[in-house]
Amino acid sequence: MAASPLFRLFVAVSGLATCWGQVPDGNEGEQPRVGAVEVGSDDLLFAQLRELAAARNDTAWAKGEARDAPPLAELNAMAAWGPKKVATARLREKFRLREAQVRVCEWLSRHQFRHLHLRESLMERAVEKLGLFHNKWQWAEAYHEDLGAHGLPFFPREVVAHRWPELAAAISELEAQLIPVLAEEHGKAVRQSPSLVKEHSEGLHVAGLWTVLKVFEASRGKSRCNDTLFPGSCKALRAFDEALRRADRGLITEGRFATLHPGAKVITHTASTNQRSQDRNSCPPYMAPRGGMA
């Protein structure tokens, strides 16, 4: 029996300090090589990374190969920063350093999957030695340090209800309205308006197909939703947006369907900022397509 695509509605909300209900976008399922050398010093770590960067990308994946030049400049910039220098760095300098960190980590995820132990060592250095992040899975370039110190990648429902009761109520109402119409409206839209379905443009899938279909967009204080194709979804999203605004808990910046097709492979990655919340509703609730990661 052929595998079915996994699709979900992704709702990005600005103005919230946490990420609620997040399903990881990428989990390669890859393990560091047996007998991998533990990185015990910056000199050894960066020597190994530069050696990889000087070699050919270790992948035959068709997507991203041509435009992903080895990040030599970023490696050199990162190696020049130590704890004392980071402690006195300006915000703009920290942003650039975190940007370099993300670039190298995603390059390792995409092209050097046999050397993910180096990615882990790099993140441990960023957390434990430089203090750039509070957790080795926090790769955001625009990183709010206070939020990072107290936030978590996932908050259980009971914690959300205790800490942010207005947010919990708004999410419960959103799910009650959205889940019954989610699959039907998505399927109808794909059949009637296939040209609206676009391949994901961020270069995070290195094999197979990952598509997006935008439903809700906000810009300069104004929002628009595709009521023609998604009447039920738009009604639910507008009610959610209004509830967030009333409670002073932010607003929706984007709502879109994201579909992982059978065989798709998505690299481990993070958002560019830790200052937004992501609510994801999957239909079916969870399915790992053949050869892919959900």
Side-chain angles (χ1 to χ4, degrees), residues 204-274:
L204 300 173
H205 60 300
V206 293
L209 184 62
W210 185 11
T211 57
V212 294
L213 174 56
K214 291 187 177 180
V215 180
F216 186 105
E217 294 181 272
S219 177
R220 297 181 180 179
K222 296 182 179 180
S223 62
R224 65 177 185 272
C225 197
N226 192 333
D227 293 275
T228 303
L229 292 176
F230 305 100
S233 298
C234 286
K235 180 181 178 181
L237 289 170
R238 286 199 178 93
F240 183 56
D241 187 59
E242 291 170 3
L244 291 174
R245 292 171 186 264
R246 284 196 304 270
D248 195 26
R249 288 295 178 188
L251 52 90
I252 298 178
T253 57
E254 181 183 26
R256 69 189 184 200
F257 284 102
T259 304
L260 278 177
H261 297 259
K265 183 179 180 66
V266 180
I267 66 168
T268 298
H269 64 281
T270 65
S272 59
T273 177
N274 67 335

Side-chain angles (χ1 to χ4, degrees), residues 85-97:
K85 189 175 180 181
V86 172
T88 58
R90 294 173 296 177
L91 290 178
R92 183 178 295 275
E93 291 175 317
K94 284 189 174 182
F95 177 85
R96 295 302 180 197
L97 186 56

